Amino acid sequence: MQLAAIVISLVTFVIGTALAARAAMYIFRVVRTGQSDPTRFGQPAQRVKTVAVEFVGHTRMNKWGVVGVAHWFVAVGFFSLVLTIVNAFGQLFDAEFALPVIGHWMLWQLFVELLGTLTTLGILTLMVVRLLSLPSKSGRKSRFAGSIAWQAFYVEYTILGIGLCITMLRALEGALAGVDSYGPEHLVSYPIVSALSGLSHGTLENLVYFFAMLKICISFAWATTIGLNPSMGVAWHRFLGFFNIYFKREEDGGTALGALRPMTSGGQPIDFEDPADDAVFGVSQVEHFSWKGILDFSTCTECGRCQSQCPAWNTGKPLSPKLLIMSLREHAFGKAPYLLAGGGKDMEGEERATAEQLKDVPAAALAEAERPLIGTAEENGVIDPDVLWSCTTCGACVEQCPVDIEHIDHIVDMRRYQVMIESSFPTEAGTMLKNLENKGNPWGMATKARLDWVKELKKETGIEVPVIGEDIDPAEVEYLYWVGCAGALEDRAKKTTKAFAELLHTAGVQFAILGKEESCTGDSARRLGNEFLFQMLGAQNVETLNAALEDAPKKRIVATCPHCFNTIANEYPQLGGHFEVIHHTQLLQHLIDEGKLVPVNPVEGLITYHDPCYLGRHNKVYSPPREIMDKVPGLRQQEMHRHKERGFCCGAGGARMWMEERIGKRINTERVDEALSLNPDIVSTACPFCLVMLSDSVNGKKNEGAAKEHLKVVDVAQLLLDSVKATPPAGAEQPETVDA
């Protein structure tokens, strides 16, 4: 028995180790087929700290309650119990073998007992969770829909088998040592020790040889399996996750949200005024992704957290962030033999490799290389266009991913090629782009229309809003109010703009606007994929802002639109524009705290707040809107099921505001249905896009008789104004609200 156990174990060990090591090198070579990215190496100490915090603290996973705790024990046990494999090898040669120094140390034995047991219980918990949410039962609602089931179950049964072997070996060690009472060394395994106590010494030794062999064989059969399947993300993420987190986009450890990365070619930002002759615009082939992108694809564990939170997937659309990443991974590894042999095509589609270089490339890899990255099923495309254009860039996928995959960056990179090179995108979005180019706003309205709300406000309240440099000196301005296209031109959003301006006036804040000098920030153009147009609009705005605020004591800007807020604060620094930018809810909360705005008039009713994605997830502004509503007398707040970090998109982001929603349920309808489940009197938000999308859906619900006629959709600023303003005289109109 002992000899057989030794031979089988050593053969399994050698084969498993060799294959796993070969696969690890292969993954490294595949990742290197991506483009260079020199931005991933700064602040190494901070990056190491980020890895430690995310792994030890399980900062993403623990947001999922019991699943996070169970996974923590499995993940920590996987690495910290590796010495039990060493111990098992020793037991093959001597059944009573113990590790030198620590082998008989009570604390080590207690650690193995507890962590081995908790790892086993953890994996059993994860298996139950998976079994309760099988795609065969839950369909699209299962976050495991589309995941490779056999791989996940194989990994789980492997960990379960190893955990049981650890417990059994601990019990056999106790039986061999003649343990006859409970103690910390056998805190969990003592009942088995007691059951084994009647067996002979020889039988116990043979059982040690068997279970040591079983533990080793299970471990290295797993190594063999992953060695033969280098794209098996559910297994390889255990190793690749550390690297993926270390090389994440943000050096300070933040998620890849907020700003988009500049468009690069060969790892260097493209100079749109003088692009290189060989510059690659966007991603049209998998090797155009950076090496970090291919590492992202390789690291995906198929857990489906991104999928479960994705507004597109939850409303019947074909986009699942998980399935998109999996498709890119399988394509990258399928095409890898061709790329590693030197294969590749230039922008004209000409093959760069010689026939001699490609002669040994498998036919399957050559066929994979011919697939278009973006294309319909009929075209054998890797990513369907409907998948690509369903994304709202809400950031739910990036927020939830436990291994820091940067889904939005990859989606936008693919969009960039489609828009800038192929001119292939939803036709209605083309109207928006033309309007931005010609009129500086997505509606194509005349520039002078940007001041219509100013005239309306003066007529309604007598308040005059100054234009910086014309009506007021920049040195006198505390805040430059960036109104935004929607805030200046869209009727419902204009009510928020006027309410905010009136509140600033009431609080005695010296503010001014740019007026006709203001132009679209380019948010929608950039997220649609038209980087050139964004660069043009952004450079123009940065120049305008720098000139307007040159003499201001501080370059402080306040914006009511989270998209404008995000672009000016996070993306304009890429263009040389460095400003202090806050959202209007942040400023209003500050003014309330200072006593400059005092909500006194009750606004009665049950209210639920919708978190705008670009205010919440992208910029972590969750408290100010809620604190403002807390200060308004009469309001009773109730959160929707999906809120804050797990808030559900309105459907307007990622330039979806300008595209028709033809597949599945409308995202704004899904969100309003969730709000209506609370039977609110008011739905509030803090974004003009959200205001438009939610009020459109509420209007539709009213027409169907599915919503109360008095239900209103309002911006937080409008609520505050209702409470701050003196009660109007009888017969006067109520303060501005959106009568949805």
Side-chain angles (χ1 to χ4, degrees), residues 354-365:
T354 64
E356 178 65 22
Q357 288 176 290
L358 300 179
K359 65 181 178 64
D360 295 325
V361 175

Side-chain angles (χ1 to χ4, degrees), residues 10-79:
L10 290 178
V11 169
T12 307
F13 165 72
V14 170
I15 293 173
T17 302
L19 288 175
R22 185 187 70 169
M25 288 304 300
Y26 184 70
I27 292 171
F28 177 71
R29 293 172 62 209
V30 172
V31 168
R32 288 192 64 190
T33 61
Q35 300 297 303
S36 65
D37 186 350
T39 67
R40 303 287 176 166
F41 302 96
Q43 298 189 29
Q46 176 60 48
R47 290 181 180 276
V48 170
K49 179 182 176 183
T50 298
V51 173
V53 168
E54 290 202 21
F55 176 69
V56 177
H58 255 46
T59 51
R60 303 290 183 81
M61 293 292 297
N62 283 335
K63 294 178 180 178
W64 288 70
V66 67
V67 172
V69 175
H71 190 275
W72 188 90
F73 285 113
V74 172
V76 172
F78 180 84
F79 290 102

Side-chain angles (χ1 to χ4, degrees), residues 88 116 163 245 272 290 320 340 413 616 729:
I245 295 169
F272 282 92
S290 73
S320 156
L340 293 171
D413 275 341

Side-chain angles (χ1 to χ4, degrees), residues 366-666:
L366 293 173
E368 195 70 32
E370 294 301 317
R371 297 180 68 192
L373 187 66
I374 307 298
T376 61
E378 292 77 14
E379 297 167 331
N380 197 26
V382 178
I383 304 297
D384 191 278
D386 285 334
V387 169
L388 188 66
W389 298 111
S390 292
C391 180
T392 67
T393 67
C394 70
C397 49
V398 179
E399 176 72 37
Q400 291 297 326
C401 182
V403 290
D404 285 294
I405 292 171
E406 299 162 6
H407 312 74
I408 293 177
D409 287 352
H410 305 321
I411 288 171
V412 172
D413 275 341
M414 290 186 283
R415 285 182 170 188
R416 284 166 168 168
Y417 179 83
Q418 293 299 302
V419 172
M420 299 183 69
I421 303 301
E422 294 290 331
S423 294
S424 176
F425 50 89
T427 53
E428 57 270 20
T431 302
M432 178 268 293
L433 293 177
K434 288 178 183 176
N435 288 336
L436 289 181
E437 290 180 32
N438 298 329
K439 298 292 185 178
N441 68 79
W443 286 277
M445 297 177 70
T447 302
K448 64 181 181 180
R450 285 187 178 272
L451 289 171
D452 286 352
W453 73 271
V454 176
K455 299 171 186 173
E456 294 168 12
L457 182 64
K458 183 178 180 181
K459 183 178 179 181
E460 294 164 7
T461 66
I463 296 172
E464 295 190 16
V465 177
V467 176
I468 195 167
E470 293 181 13
D471 307 315
I472 189 171
D473 189 88
E476 300 174 41
V477 174
E478 293 179 69
Y479 290 95
L480 174 65
Y481 175 22
W482 184 275
V483 181
C485 299
L489 302 171
E490 207 284 329
D491 287 340
R492 288 163 288 189
K494 280 162 67 174
K495 294 183 178 182
T496 302
T497 304
K498 289 186 281 187
F500 180 58
E502 190 169 349
L503 286 167
L504 292 181
H505 176 79
T506 301
V509 175
Q510 288 284 359
F511 73 100
I513 62 173
L514 287 174
K516 297 177 183 178
E517 294 298 311
E518 189 177 294
S519 184
C520 181
T521 59
D523 163 82
S524 292
R526 192 175 215 196
R527 278 149 187 79
L528 183 73
N530 195 328
E531 182 71 8
F532 177 76
L533 181 54
F534 164 75
Q535 295 272 340
M536 183 180 74
L537 291 168
Q540 174 187 326
N541 284 327
V542 167
E543 182 180 351
T544 301
L545 286 168
N546 280 332
L549 297 173
E550 184 177 6
D551 298 325
K554 291 184 179 179
K555 295 185 177 182
R556 295 196 296 193
I557 299 171
V558 60
T560 43
C561 175
H563 297 264
C564 297
F565 165 56
N566 177 70
T567 303
I568 300 171
N570 300 324
E571 297 186 334
Y572 279 6
Q574 298 171 7
L575 306 176
H578 299 276
F579 311 101
E580 181 184 331
V581 191
I582 62 171
H583 188 250
H584 76 291
T585 56
Q586 294 173 301
L587 179 54
L588 292 176
Q589 180 207 359
H590 176 68
L591 294 173
I592 291 173
D593 291 344
E594 285 191 331
K596 293 181 178 179
L597 291 175
V598 182
V600 289
N601 294 320
V603 179
E604 300 292 343
L606 177 67
I607 187 168
T608 189
Y609 174 71
H610 163 80
D611 285 284
C613 300
Y614 273 80
L615 183 62
R617 265 191 299 269
H618 281 277
N619 286 284
K620 312 304 180 207
V621 179
Y622 296 111
S623 297
R626 291 173 168 82
E627 291 183 19
I628 292 169
M629 291 184 289
D630 279 340
K631 298 291 175 60
V632 175
L635 285 180
R636 292 172 287 119
Q637 288 192 59
Q638 187 169 348
E639 297 282 11
M640 285 182 262
H641 175 66
R642 294 175 288 202
H643 64 279
K644 293 188 175 177
E645 289 88 353
R646 293 199 192 183
F648 197 79
C649 184
C650 75
R656 288 295 322 176
M657 178 85 169
W658 320 106
M659 295 182 245
E660 287 298 323
E661 209 169 329
R662 298 186 176 91
I663 304 173
K665 183 178 181 180
R666 293 183 66 88

Side-chain angles (χ1 to χ4, degrees), residues 149-371:
W150 78 263
Q151 294 183 353
F153 281 116
Y154 175 71
V155 169
E156 289 172 344
Y157 280 115
T158 293
I159 296 170
L160 177 62
I162 292 172
L164 294 174
C165 284
I166 289 174
T167 300
M168 195 64 196
L169 284 169
R170 288 292 302 134
L172 288 165
E173 290 165 12
L176 280 172
V179 173
D180 58 2
S181 63
Y182 264 109
E185 297 91 340
H186 296 281
L187 189 65
V188 178
S189 61
Y190 180 73
I192 307 175
V193 173
S194 180
L196 295 171
S197 60
L199 299 178
S200 68
H201 190 82
T203 301
L204 291 173
E205 286 186 331
N206 281 330
L207 286 172
V208 169
Y209 302 144
F210 174 77
F211 279 102
M213 176 192 69
L214 184 61
K215 183 177 188 305
I216 291 167
C217 286
I218 290 174
S219 300
F220 290 96
W222 179 80
T224 299
T225 303
I226 70 171
L228 296 173
N229 294 276
S231 65
M232 189 174 173
V234 70
W236 279 105
H237 86 277
R238 282 163 173 74
F239 309 107
L240 299 180
F242 295 105
F243 298 99
N244 213 50
I245 295 169
Y246 179 88
F247 291 115
K248 67 194 300 184
R249 190 181 82 179
E250 302 301 326
E251 294 178 345
D252 63 1
T255 51
L257 294 170
L260 283 175
R261 299 189 69 211
M263 195 167 169
T264 61
S265 178
Q268 298 300 319
I270 294 174
D271 180 356
F272 282 92
E273 293 184 2
D274 184 23
D277 293 337
D278 60 349
V280 177
F281 290 78
V283 168
S284 64
Q285 300 171 39
V286 73
E287 62 270 26
H288 291 166
F289 286 107
S290 73
W291 60 263
K292 175 57 169 64
I294 298 179
L295 180 59
D296 271 359
F297 311 153
S298 307
T299 307
C300 178
T301 181
E302 303 173 27
C303 66
R305 285 167 180 79
C306 58
Q307 180 173 290
S308 70
Q309 303 298 301
C310 177
W313 183 260
N314 276 282
T315 53
K317 296 167 183 61
L319 169 63
S320 156
K322 177 189 73 178
L323 298 181
L324 179 138
I325 295 296
M326 287 173 62
S327 296
L328 292 170
R329 179 188 67 200
E330 298 307 316
H331 177 57
F333 277 88
K335 190 176 179 180
Y338 163 79
L339 296 173
L340 293 171
K345 296 183 179 179
D346 58 25
M347 299 305 292
E348 284 72 41
E350 298 296 323
E351 179 60 60
R352 289 193 291 258
T354 64
E356 178 65 22
Q357 288 176 290
L358 300 179
K359 65 181 178 64
D360 295 325
V361 175
L366 293 173
E368 195 70 32
E370 294 301 317
R371 297 180 68 192

